[in-house]
Amino acid sequence: MNLRYKLFSGFILLIIIPLFLLGTITFFITFQLLEKKYSEQAEFSMRAMGHSIGYIFDEINKVTDSGIANNVFQQALYLPKDNVHHLVDIHKDTNLDSIEKSKLSGSTEGTNNEKESDYNNADYIRMIERQQNFRKLIYNHPSIGYAFLYNFRGYGESSIIPIFAKENFRAMPFEQFREHRVFEEVVNRKGEPLWLGPNEYPELTGYESVFTQIRVVKDLNTMKDLGISMVQMKNWDLDTFFNKFYSASQMDNTRFFIVNDDGLVFYDNEKKIAGSNISKYLSKPISLADGYSSYKDKFSDHESVISIYQMPKYNWHLVSVRDWNSISKEMVVYIKWVSVIMVICVLGAFLFNLLFMNRISKNIVRTVRFMRKVEDGDLSVRLDEEGNDELRLLSRGFNRLMDRVNSLIDQVKQEQGQKTSAEMRVLQAQIKPHFLFNTLESINVLAIQNEGRKVSQMVYRLGNILRISIQDKEEITVRQELEYLRSYLEIQKFRFEELFNFEIDVPEDLMNCMMQKLTLQPLVENCIQHAFDGITHTGWIRISAYADEERIYLTVEDNGMGMSNEQLIRFEYLQSEDTKSVTPQIEGTYNTERRGLGVRSVADRIRIQYGGRYGLYICSAPNCGTIIQCTIPRYEQGESQ
């Protein structure tokens, strides 16, 4: 994978994704902590509210406790029907003096039984005094809207004794009440008050939004059940309490409900769903367990936190519904700011990656690309030295390294050139003594045979050969090389007149091309010395040439003995990759055997001078002659190779 993609992938995997995961985890943890903290705060508030609401109902309990303790309810239950109605009628007048005057005037007007009237008047006065005190106590609680008694000793309408009048309400007859499930529950409580919520039993308490207290009235002396009191409380105190609670706690977007175990709403501080079941407004059934619980749910299609607290002593549940948006709005603002900061950080990271990491990766990739060019042999590449940091030092170091490499390569080339020149001089030195030795040996033989004319001709030809050999040139024209070769062949012809014939066939357009001197002579010498050794027929040597646009192909062909495969193997050469020089494959053949010494020298000279594309190619078989092809570049004097 490209380094730039690796860096970008690492940037995404190690920076962007961890930041995203961190933000996501922080978001969920933050909101879970927020929900937990709100639940703890709501629990504390709802416990306090539950005790405060219980205190409101306890005040009504104290009022009815006072009525029972003062025998007000008991005496009302003991009075005859007519006296009871008279007692109820005077509730409109709260002045005791006016009541006494009314009763005294009524007693003086009677004409039948004065003692009985005086006794009744005294009972009335005491009863009225207690009633007046009780009524004063009730008037201190304006939330009490209605109160009456069920008399266990009464029959029909006489069994219902009203204490407070209430319009548009008719109490359930006592005979029906005795059959109601509430009656048995009230009796079993043995004087403990039972509270009924609004709309819980509308046939008994009516359809108004009131709470109803029902309790048994006992004779305090005999503890005998005399009747049942029923007191209804309006929601004024609850409304006042919640209004004060709202202003004190700033519980905006929060609704409070009082519900029973079935989820029936007794009280709604916004007075919208009282009398209905709260489960209809929730997405899942409400869990009305003991103690306190809190969870998130949708209320009227709004995400909300539902907190439930069981009120002690009343088996009711105080439910608060707080809109989640109102709880989390400050946290949402915080999260938004955090998100904005994270986005800025991510953009900064991308900008850093774009401006710095991308620059670093581009420089590294460019350096690697230039190094690959160097591997391919282009040593002229250089990096632009940009910036003032380590990348500039890297580019400068690369350029200095390439300068040093080029300097070393030039030095090696110079040393290699000197080495090559020395090797060529050594090879030429190997050829010259070998040729001179053979020629002088031939002249010596002719001199011994007293062949003066032939000696003269041979000396003339030898002079031509030496004239070309001693020239301080490594390359001569093909024409000069052929003149040198003709002189050499004529000298050999003097020595071996009947041994061979020769033929030279080279096109005129190749005569001015350049080639190394003493290239063809060793090849021809090899034919004379070795190819014709032991033959019974006349040998012949043919020198020919042809060319294409880039190369000249010189061929030396004979009809001599030829060579076996073992002999050909000795002429195979391996090219060294380090020095580009040519070395023999079989050790010892170069110096231990003279046969082929000239051929190897020519091959080495050509390969050293022109490269591995040029050289000698030998084709031979036993008794079939030999063909040696010499391949050299085609160029004339003044042209580049």
Side-chain angles (χ1 to χ4, degrees):
M1 184 184 293
N2 189 286
L3 178 62
R4 186 179 304 175
Y5 294 117
K6 288 183 179 179
L7 292 175
F8 184 76
S9 301
F11 172 75
I12 295 296
L13 293 176
L14 301 179
I15 297 180
I16 301 302
I17 293 180
L19 278 178
F20 176 77
L21 293 177
L22 177 63
T24 304
I25 294 173
T26 302
F27 176 82
F28 284 106
I29 291 178
T30 300
F31 278 91
Q32 286 179 357
L33 290 176
L34 178 63
E35 183 180 352
K36 181 180 179 181
K37 292 296 181 183
Y38 172 78
S39 176
E40 294 175 353
Q41 180 184 1
E43 180 181 5
F44 177 79
S45 300
M46 293 185 70
R47 288 184 183 276
M49 292 173 63
H51 287 290
S52 299
I53 294 172
Y55 177 78
I56 295 174
F57 291 101
D58 289 342
E59 286 295 314
I60 304 302
N61 292 339
K62 290 179 181 180
V63 171
T64 57
D65 287 343
S66 176
I68 295 175
N70 292 325
N71 288 322
V72 175
F73 290 166
Q74 291 89 333
Q75 290 178 5
L77 293 172
Y78 275 122
L79 288 177
K81 177 181 178 182
D82 293 338
N83 293 336
V84 171
H85 282 292
H86 180 69
L87 178 63
V88 174
D89 290 337
I90 67 174
H91 79 278
K92 298 178 182 179
D93 191 353
T94 60
N95 191 324
L96 182 59
D97 294 335
S98 63
I99 296 174
E100 291 178 350
K101 290 179 182 180
S102 173
K103 290 303 174 183
L104 290 175
S105 63
S107 66
T108 56
E109 292 177 358
T111 57
N112 296 325
N113 193 342
E114 294 182 358
K115 291 183 179 181
E116 182 180 356
S117 177
D118 292 338
Y119 176 80
N120 290 336
N121 286 336
D123 292 336
Y124 284 142
I125 290 172
R126 288 191 299 271
M127 180 66 66
I128 289 171
E129 184 178 1
R130 291 191 179 96
Q131 288 287 342
Q132 188 178 26
N133 292 332
F134 180 68
R135 291 180 186 283
K136 287 181 180 180
L137 183 62
I138 291 178
Y139 285 144
N140 290 330
H141 294 274
S143 60
I144 297 178
Y146 181 60
F148 67 93
L149 301 171
Y150 280 113
N151 192 346
F152 287 174
R153 299 184 301 111
Y155 297 94
E157 295 182 357
S158 64
S159 62
I160 300 176
I161 303 173
I163 299 176
F164 261 177
K166 183 178 183 181
E167 297 180 359
N168 300 325
F169 177 76
R170 182 178 179 85
M172 178 184 289
F174 181 65
E175 290 76 10
Q176 296 183 15
F177 179 56
R178 289 180 64 126
E179 302 297 328
H180 201 279
R181 56 177 295 190
V182 175
F183 178 81
E184 182 178 357
E185 184 177 357
V186 172
V187 172
N188 291 334
R189 295 178 74 91
K190 297 179 181 181
E192 288 291 328
L194 173 67
W195 282 93
L196 302 180
N199 301 306
E200 189 173 12
Y201 299 102
E203 71 279 3
L204 180 61
T205 61
Y207 291 92
E208 293 186 11
S209 180
V210 293
F211 287 87
T212 303
Q213 182 210 72
I214 305 177
R215 65 189 303 177
V216 173
V217 179
K218 292 181 176 289
D219 188 334
L220 297 181
N221 294 322
T222 64
M223 297 304 293
K224 181 181 179 181
D225 294 342
L226 300 180
I228 293 177
S229 68
M230 186 175 294
V231 178
Q232 292 187 342
M233 183 191 75
K234 297 181 180 179
N235 295 335
W236 294 348
D237 289 344
L238 290 176
D239 292 338
T240 303
F241 167 75
F242 280 108
N243 289 334
K244 290 181 179 179
F245 185 81
Y246 263 80
S247 61
S249 303
Q250 298 180 352
M251 299 291 288
D252 54 334
N253 296 313
T254 306
R255 293 179 65 177
F256 291 95
F257 308 95
I258 299 176
V259 301
N260 64 0
D261 291 337
D262 297 328
L264 180 64
V265 179
F266 292 159
Y267 176 80
D268 176 11
N269 67 310
E270 294 186 1
K271 305 185 185 311
K272 293 182 178 179
I273 65 171
S276 59
N277 198 296
I278 194 173
S279 298
K280 297 187 338 184
Y281 302 91
L282 300 172
S283 61
K284 55 185 177 182
I286 189 170
S287 176
L288 299 173
D290 296 339
Y292 173 80
S293 62
S294 179
Y295 60 94
K296 286 178 68 175
D297 193 10
K298 284 190 176 181
F299 183 84
S300 297
D301 296 329
H302 293 284
E303 191 75 18
S304 305
V305 178
I306 313 297
S307 301
I308 305 170
Y309 172 69
Q310 186 181 26
M311 297 173 59
K313 298 191 300 184
Y314 297 102
N315 292 326
W316 295 339
H317 300 272
L318 178 62
V319 180
S320 72
V321 179
R322 179 74 180 271
D323 186 64
W324 176 250
N325 292 331
S326 65
I327 300 175
S328 61
K329 60 182 179 181
E330 294 182 357
M331 188 59 65
V332 168
V333 174
Y334 169 76
I335 292 297
K336 287 182 178 178
W337 277 107
V338 172
S339 300
V340 170
I341 294 174
M342 288 187 65
V343 169
I344 293 175
C345 292
V346 170
L347 292 178
F350 270 108
L351 187 63
F352 173 79
N353 182 72
L354 181 64
L355 296 181
F356 295 96
M357 296 300 294
N358 195 34
R359 174 174 171 265
I360 293 173
S361 62
K362 285 177 61 178
N363 277 273
I364 294 176
V365 170
R366 184 181 60 179
T367 303
V368 172
R369 187 172 65 250
F370 278 40
M371 291 177 65
R372 288 176 179 173
K373 289 184 178 180
V374 173
E375 290 179 356
D376 294 336
D378 186 3
L379 302 180
S380 63
V381 295
R382 295 294 185 273
L383 291 173
D384 296 333
E385 299 180 8
E386 300 176 350
N388 296 315
D389 50 11
E390 286 76 6
L391 294 176
R392 180 185 180 92
L393 296 178
L394 178 63
S395 300
R396 183 180 298 173
F398 177 83
N399 293 337
R400 289 180 178 177
L401 176 62
M402 294 310 303
D403 292 339
R404 181 61 176 165
V405 169
N406 284 328
S407 176
L408 292 175
I409 290 176
D410 291 339
Q411 181 179 352
V412 170
K413 284 183 178 180
Q414 183 179 2
E415 294 177 354
Q416 186 67 28
Q418 294 175 355
K419 179 181 178 182
T420 301
S421 178
E423 289 179 351
M424 292 188 67
R425 285 194 295 271
V426 170
L427 291 174
Q428 290 178 358
Q430 290 176 348
I431 294 173
K432 292 176 182 178
H434 178 69
F435 171 71
L436 289 176
F437 174 79
N438 292 334
T439 303
L440 291 176
E441 184 179 1
S442 299
I443 294 175
N444 182 49
V445 172
L446 291 175
I448 293 174
Q449 295 176 355
N450 294 320
E451 296 287 343
R453 186 175 59 86
K454 291 183 179 180
V455 170
S456 176
Q457 291 179 353
M458 290 185 67
V459 171
Y460 173 76
R461 298 296 182 187
L462 180 60
N464 290 336
I465 292 173
L466 293 177
R467 184 172 58 252
I468 295 175
S469 298
I470 64 176
Q471 291 182 5
D472 192 15
K473 295 180 181 179
E474 293 184 0
E475 292 184 329
I476 58 177
T477 63
V478 174
R479 187 185 306 276
Q480 291 175 325
E481 178 69 15
L482 293 178
E483 289 179 359
Y484 178 93
L485 180 62
R486 188 181 296 274
S487 295
Y488 173 78
L489 287 173
E490 288 180 354
I491 290 176
Q492 296 292 11
K493 186 69 173 169
F494 280 117
R495 292 183 60 205
F496 309 104
E497 182 176 0
E498 303 297 332
L499 181 62
F500 71 94
N501 293 318
F502 68 89
E503 177 185 359
I504 299 176
D505 182 15
V506 177
E508 184 65 26
D509 58 345
L510 300 180
M511 291 298 182
N512 294 325
C513 293
M514 304 298 293
M515 63 179 297
Q516 289 182 341
K517 65 181 179 180
L518 299 179
T519 298
L520 298 178
Q521 182 268 334
L523 306 182
V524 173
E525 180 183 5
N526 186 74
C527 295
I528 297 174
Q529 294 291 331
H530 305 291
F532 298 152
D533 186 13
I535 62 173
T536 57
H537 58 275
T538 302
W540 56 265
I541 300 174
R542 185 173 183 272
I543 298 93
S544 61
Y546 67 96
D548 55 21
E549 294 181 357
E550 296 181 356
R551 296 178 180 84
I552 297 176
Y553 303 96
L554 297 169
T555 304
V556 177
E557 183 179 359
D558 65 66
N559 63 344
M561 298 295 294
M563 290 183 287
S564 64
N565 291 333
E566 291 77 8
Q567 292 173 324
L568 287 174
I569 290 175
R570 297 176 182 177
F571 290 97
E572 290 186 5
Y573 287 82
L574 298 176
Q575 187 175 357
S576 172
E577 295 181 355
D578 297 331
T579 62
K580 300 295 182 182
S581 63
V582 180
T583 57
Q585 183 182 19
I586 302 177
E587 296 182 359
T589 60
Y590 194 90
N591 295 320
T592 59
E593 184 177 345
R594 293 184 60 211
R595 182 172 185 177
L597 179 62
V599 177
R600 293 192 185 94
S601 299
V602 173
D604 287 344
R605 289 175 58 203
I606 293 175
R607 291 180 182 273
I608 291 174
Q609 180 69 24
Y610 302 124
R613 298 174 59 190
Y614 305 97
L616 298 182
Y617 301 92
I618 302 176
C619 180
S620 180
N623 301 317
C624 293
T626 301
I627 300 176
I628 302 177
Q629 179 178 282
C630 177
T631 304
I632 59 175
R634 179 177 181 177
Y635 65 97
E636 295 185 3
Q637 188 173 8
E639 295 181 358
S640 60
Q641 298 179 14

